[in-house]
Amino acid sequence: MDYIEAAKRAVKGIASPVLDFCGVYDTLIERRLFVQPSWVILMYHRVVASRAEDPHRLGMCVERDHFAEQIEYHVRNFSPICMGDAISRLNAGKPLPRNAVSITFDDGYQDFADVALPVLRRFQCPATVFVNVGGLAENRPFWWDEIIDAVHRTRVDEIDVRFLNADASPAQLPLRSRHRRRTLMRLQFMFWQLRPERIDDALAELKQRLQVSGRGRLLAPRMSPAEIARVAGEGVEIGAHCESHVDMRRLSDDECRHELMVSRQVLQEISGQPVTGFAYPGGLQSERVQKLVAHAGYGYAAGIGRGVNRQPFDIYNLRRIGMPDSGISDYKRCLGMAAGVSEPVMGYESVLWP
Ligand SMILES: [Zn+2]
């Protein structure tokens, strides 16, 4: 972790509990969230048993104890409802329960089944997992995890990134430990600019330049088809999240249609359930992509624009709040901040809070 990030965490670690103890965050949430009907949709990716699984703190992981506090808080203060059930109620002309909250997970990591689901079960909290199906049958790691793992293991001091973008500036990115987090964010951003057919070659080139081979410990496992079927059988809603996890705005209409059709077909076969929900990879979409999702027959789609949903709901661009890996007081600070957002704040799926 870089020093600035460590300092920020230390300040938040002291200030947030004090402000929470004084009731500041409860008042903020009361005023911003509970005064009018709202639908809060939380976005998670990974819930990890130990911080060692997330050494670079890129905003994709929440520790189990923090997650349990966050879910307990929502079960006590909100009305948890599964995404699909919420949409069915709206389609039937019924209102959502008061202070509705839905819990969602993107990508389909194994730690959802191993770490998050037992917590959700303990609090009887429903959830939706948007599963990416590219490489699922072969148990291939996600491309961003390959980047994290390779950068984590390299002994090279810097990398020339012009193979990803000829105009990259700076062309050299530093790799010594205190720079790694920032370099990882830049590399991931550059990979997001690639079309799907370039990702594999770019990963191979990256590993060669970093002089890394094999699989390291940061390649987070994904749920297997059997595991997806098991969690679906336990009542978890399965939603689609494309086949190739790329910026859909860079795909043609036909390519988008293919992604939308294949991912739903595969997940319906695996889960034995209808798949009606969708989450845009990276939250990246446009009006054109939204229309394609609707025409493909999905009943709703979740973006990553940070904020709270209010009537009339934007069903094909539902806002979600990516929750921080922090204890309940700092979590409430972020929830209060998100509730005050009028225009959604866009970013990639990673969750980084000021
Ligand atoms: Zn994703």
mmCIF file of all heavy atoms in Angstrom, residues 80-104:
data_model
loop_
_atom_site.group_PDB
_atom_site.id
_atom_site.type_symbol
_atom_site.label_atom_id
_atom_site.label_comp_id
_atom_site.label_asym_id
_atom_site.label_seq_id
_atom_site.Cartn_x
_atom_site.Cartn_y
_atom_site.Cartn_z
ATOM 1 N N PRO A 80 -33.966 -5.904 3.485
ATOM 2 C CA PRO A 80 -33.249 -6.584 2.402
ATOM 3 C C PRO A 80 -34.218 -7.263 1.435
ATOM 4 O O PRO A 80 -35.192 -7.886 1.859
ATOM 5 C CB PRO A 80 -32.401 -7.643 3.139
ATOM 6 C CG PRO A 80 -32.344 -7.186 4.556
ATOM 7 C CD PRO A 80 -33.648 -6.484 4.805
ATOM 8 N N ILE A 81 -33.955 -7.098 0.155
ATOM 9 C CA ILE A 81 -34.779 -7.732 -0.879
ATOM 10 C C ILE A 81 -33.863 -8.088 -2.049
ATOM 11 O O ILE A 81 -32.949 -7.324 -2.391
ATOM 12 C CB ILE A 81 -35.947 -6.804 -1.324
ATOM 13 C CG1 ILE A 81 -36.827 -7.507 -2.350
ATOM 14 C CG2 ILE A 81 -35.443 -5.466 -1.869
ATOM 15 C CD1 ILE A 81 -38.174 -6.811 -2.597
ATOM 16 N N CYS A 82 -34.100 -9.260 -2.628
ATOM 17 C CA CYS A 82 -33.296 -9.708 -3.759
ATOM 18 C C CYS A 82 -33.641 -8.846 -4.985
ATOM 19 O O CYS A 82 -34.778 -8.395 -5.137
ATOM 20 C CB CYS A 82 -33.621 -11.176 -3.941
ATOM 21 S SG CYS A 82 -33.286 -11.869 -5.488
ATOM 22 N N MET A 83 -32.671 -8.604 -5.847
ATOM 23 C CA MET A 83 -32.880 -7.725 -7.009
ATOM 24 C C MET A 83 -34.081 -8.173 -7.847
ATOM 25 O O MET A 83 -34.946 -7.372 -8.191
ATOM 26 C CB MET A 83 -31.636 -7.747 -7.912
ATOM 27 C CG MET A 83 -30.397 -7.131 -7.341
ATOM 28 S SD MET A 83 -30.436 -5.341 -7.226
ATOM 29 C CE MET A 83 -30.563 -4.833 -8.917
ATOM 30 N N GLY A 84 -34.108 -9.470 -8.182
ATOM 31 C CA GLY A 84 -35.182 -9.992 -9.033
ATOM 32 C C GLY A 84 -36.546 -9.806 -8.389
ATOM 33 O O GLY A 84 -37.530 -9.461 -9.067
ATOM 34 N N ASP A 85 -36.615 -10.020 -7.053
ATOM 35 C CA ASP A 85 -37.897 -9.847 -6.342
ATOM 36 C C ASP A 85 -38.328 -8.380 -6.362
ATOM 37 O O ASP A 85 -39.515 -8.067 -6.504
ATOM 38 C CB ASP A 85 -37.783 -10.319 -4.882
ATOM 39 C CG ASP A 85 -37.629 -11.831 -4.798
ATOM 40 O OD1 ASP A 85 -37.846 -12.498 -5.826
ATOM 41 O OD2 ASP A 85 -37.275 -12.326 -3.714
ATOM 42 N N ALA A 86 -37.352 -7.493 -6.216
ATOM 43 C CA ALA A 86 -37.671 -6.059 -6.238
ATOM 44 C C ALA A 86 -38.266 -5.679 -7.600
ATOM 45 O O ALA A 86 -39.278 -4.973 -7.682
ATOM 46 C CB ALA A 86 -36.422 -5.235 -5.951
ATOM 47 N N ILE A 87 -37.636 -6.179 -8.665
ATOM 48 C CA ILE A 87 -38.119 -5.855 -10.015
ATOM 49 C C ILE A 87 -39.517 -6.449 -10.237
ATOM 50 O O ILE A 87 -40.394 -5.795 -10.812
ATOM 51 C CB ILE A 87 -37.116 -6.361 -11.080
ATOM 52 C CG1 ILE A 87 -35.787 -5.613 -10.952
ATOM 53 C CG2 ILE A 87 -37.682 -6.239 -12.494
ATOM 54 C CD1 ILE A 87 -35.820 -4.135 -11.303
ATOM 55 N N SER A 88 -39.741 -7.685 -9.752
ATOM 56 C CA SER A 88 -41.074 -8.302 -9.903
ATOM 57 C C SER A 88 -42.134 -7.450 -9.209
ATOM 58 O O SER A 88 -43.238 -7.263 -9.736
ATOM 59 C CB SER A 88 -41.090 -9.702 -9.285
ATOM 60 O OG SER A 88 -40.180 -10.512 -9.950
ATOM 61 N N ARG A 89 -41.818 -6.945 -8.024
ATOM 62 C CA ARG A 89 -42.792 -6.096 -7.306
ATOM 63 C C ARG A 89 -43.092 -4.840 -8.109
ATOM 64 O O ARG A 89 -44.243 -4.433 -8.241
ATOM 65 C CB ARG A 89 -42.221 -5.687 -5.942
ATOM 66 C CG ARG A 89 -42.304 -6.776 -4.910
ATOM 67 C CD ARG A 89 -41.744 -6.300 -3.605
ATOM 68 N NE ARG A 89 -42.704 -5.450 -2.909
ATOM 69 C CZ ARG A 89 -43.064 -5.622 -1.644
ATOM 70 N NH1 ARG A 89 -42.528 -6.603 -0.941
ATOM 71 N NH2 ARG A 89 -43.927 -4.816 -1.078
ATOM 72 N N LEU A 90 -42.032 -4.230 -8.626
ATOM 73 C CA LEU A 90 -42.236 -2.986 -9.389
ATOM 74 C C LEU A 90 -43.074 -3.264 -10.636
ATOM 75 O O LEU A 90 -43.977 -2.494 -10.970
ATOM 76 C CB LEU A 90 -40.890 -2.377 -9.786
ATOM 77 C CG LEU A 90 -40.030 -1.866 -8.620
ATOM 78 C CD1 LEU A 90 -38.654 -1.426 -9.114
ATOM 79 C CD2 LEU A 90 -40.720 -0.696 -7.907
ATOM 80 N N ASN A 91 -42.786 -4.394 -11.315
ATOM 81 C CA ASN A 91 -43.546 -4.741 -12.519
ATOM 82 C C ASN A 91 -45.017 -5.016 -12.198
ATOM 83 O O ASN A 91 -45.887 -4.823 -13.046
ATOM 84 C CB ASN A 91 -42.936 -5.968 -13.205
ATOM 85 C CG ASN A 91 -41.618 -5.619 -13.890
ATOM 86 O OD1 ASN A 91 -41.337 -4.444 -14.140
ATOM 87 N ND2 ASN A 91 -40.797 -6.613 -14.150
ATOM 88 N N ALA A 92 -45.267 -5.480 -10.974
ATOM 89 C CA ALA A 92 -46.654 -5.758 -10.564
ATOM 90 C C ALA A 92 -47.330 -4.501 -10.015
ATOM 91 O O ALA A 92 -48.451 -4.570 -9.501
ATOM 92 C CB ALA A 92 -46.664 -6.873 -9.521
ATOM 93 N N GLY A 93 -46.624 -3.374 -10.064
ATOM 94 C CA GLY A 93 -47.199 -2.110 -9.596
ATOM 95 C C GLY A 93 -47.197 -1.961 -8.084
ATOM 96 O O GLY A 93 -47.884 -1.101 -7.536
ATOM 97 N N LYS A 94 -46.396 -2.814 -7.406
ATOM 98 C CA LYS A 94 -46.342 -2.722 -5.936
ATOM 99 C C LYS A 94 -45.118 -1.920 -5.520
ATOM 100 O O LYS A 94 -44.078 -1.980 -6.194
ATOM 101 C CB LYS A 94 -46.215 -4.126 -5.331
ATOM 102 C CG LYS A 94 -47.410 -5.006 -5.546
ATOM 103 C CD LYS A 94 -47.154 -6.331 -4.825
ATOM 104 C CE LYS A 94 -48.120 -7.381 -5.276
ATOM 105 N NZ LYS A 94 -47.623 -8.730 -5.025
ATOM 106 N N PRO A 95 -45.204 -1.207 -4.405
ATOM 107 C CA PRO A 95 -44.026 -0.460 -3.956
ATOM 108 C C PRO A 95 -42.984 -1.402 -3.341
ATOM 109 O O PRO A 95 -43.318 -2.514 -2.926
ATOM 110 C CB PRO A 95 -44.592 0.478 -2.880
ATOM 111 C CG PRO A 95 -45.809 -0.219 -2.380
ATOM 112 C CD PRO A 95 -46.357 -1.041 -3.513
ATOM 113 N N LEU A 96 -41.756 -0.929 -3.282
ATOM 114 C CA LEU A 96 -40.719 -1.705 -2.598
ATOM 115 C C LEU A 96 -40.918 -1.559 -1.092
ATOM 116 O O LEU A 96 -41.539 -0.592 -0.640
ATOM 117 C CB LEU A 96 -39.331 -1.171 -2.981
ATOM 118 C CG LEU A 96 -38.938 -1.335 -4.445
ATOM 119 C CD1 LEU A 96 -37.491 -0.869 -4.652
ATOM 120 C CD2 LEU A 96 -39.076 -2.785 -4.887
ATOM 121 N N PRO A 97 -40.396 -2.507 -0.305
ATOM 122 C CA PRO A 97 -40.488 -2.315 1.145
ATOM 123 C C PRO A 97 -39.739 -1.047 1.565
ATOM 124 O O PRO A 97 -38.867 -0.567 0.842
ATOM 125 C CB PRO A 97 -39.813 -3.564 1.720
ATOM 126 C CG PRO A 97 -39.054 -4.166 0.600
ATOM 127 C CD PRO A 97 -39.706 -3.728 -0.674
ATOM 128 N N ARG A 98 -40.105 -0.541 2.726
ATOM 129 C CA ARG A 98 -39.486 0.699 3.213
ATOM 130 C C ARG A 98 -37.972 0.505 3.386
ATOM 131 O O ARG A 98 -37.529 -0.519 3.880
ATOM 132 C CB ARG A 98 -40.107 1.027 4.574
ATOM 133 C CG ARG A 98 -39.801 2.394 5.099
ATOM 134 C CD ARG A 98 -40.621 2.661 6.367
ATOM 135 N NE ARG A 98 -39.891 3.541 7.278
ATOM 136 C CZ ARG A 98 -39.656 4.816 7.036
ATOM 137 N NH1 ARG A 98 -40.096 5.361 5.923
ATOM 138 N NH2 ARG A 98 -38.981 5.552 7.901
ATOM 139 N N ASN A 99 -37.201 1.477 2.958
ATOM 140 C CA ASN A 99 -35.735 1.413 3.047
ATOM 141 C C ASN A 99 -35.178 0.110 2.449
ATOM 142 O O ASN A 99 -34.414 -0.612 3.095
ATOM 143 C CB ASN A 99 -35.250 1.564 4.495
ATOM 144 C CG ASN A 99 -35.727 2.865 5.106
ATOM 145 O OD1 ASN A 99 -35.943 3.844 4.393
ATOM 146 N ND2 ASN A 99 -35.914 2.880 6.406
ATOM 147 N N ALA A 100 -35.586 -0.151 1.226
ATOM 148 C CA ALA A 100 -35.157 -1.399 0.567
ATOM 149 C C ALA A 100 -33.652 -1.388 0.328
ATOM 150 O O ALA A 100 -33.067 -0.361 -0.026
ATOM 151 C CB ALA A 100 -35.890 -1.542 -0.769
ATOM 152 N N VAL A 101 -33.024 -2.552 0.539
ATOM 153 C CA VAL A 101 -31.599 -2.715 0.216
ATOM 154 C C VAL A 101 -31.414 -4.057 -0.485
ATOM 155 O O VAL A 101 -32.040 -5.047 -0.112
ATOM 156 C CB VAL A 101 -30.697 -2.631 1.474
ATOM 157 C CG1 VAL A 101 -30.967 -3.768 2.449
ATOM 158 C CG2 VAL A 101 -29.218 -2.617 1.090
ATOM 159 N N SER A 102 -30.615 -4.051 -1.541
ATOM 160 C CA SER A 102 -30.275 -5.296 -2.237
ATOM 161 C C SER A 102 -28.764 -5.455 -2.218
ATOM 162 O O SER A 102 -28.028 -4.475 -2.383
ATOM 163 C CB SER A 102 -30.761 -5.259 -3.688
ATOM 164 O OG SER A 102 -32.167 -5.113 -3.726
ATOM 165 N N ILE A 103 -28.330 -6.693 -2.027
ATOM 166 C CA ILE A 103 -26.892 -6.975 -1.932
ATOM 167 C C ILE A 103 -26.470 -7.684 -3.217
ATOM 168 O O ILE A 103 -27.053 -8.716 -3.578
ATOM 169 C CB ILE A 103 -26.578 -7.913 -0.727
ATOM 170 C CG1 ILE A 103 -27.393 -7.527 0.519
ATOM 171 C CG2 ILE A 103 -25.091 -7.983 -0.440
ATOM 172 C CD1 ILE A 103 -27.056 -6.217 1.128
ATOM 173 N N THR A 104 -25.472 -7.145 -3.902
ATOM 174 C CA THR A 104 -25.022 -7.764 -5.158
ATOM 175 C C THR A 104 -23.516 -8.006 -5.135
ATOM 176 O O THR A 104 -22.771 -7.296 -4.456
ATOM 177 C CB THR A 104 -25.353 -6.890 -6.388
ATOM 178 O OG1 THR A 104 -24.509 -5.730 -6.385
ATOM 179 C CG2 THR A 104 -26.809 -6.457 -6.408
#
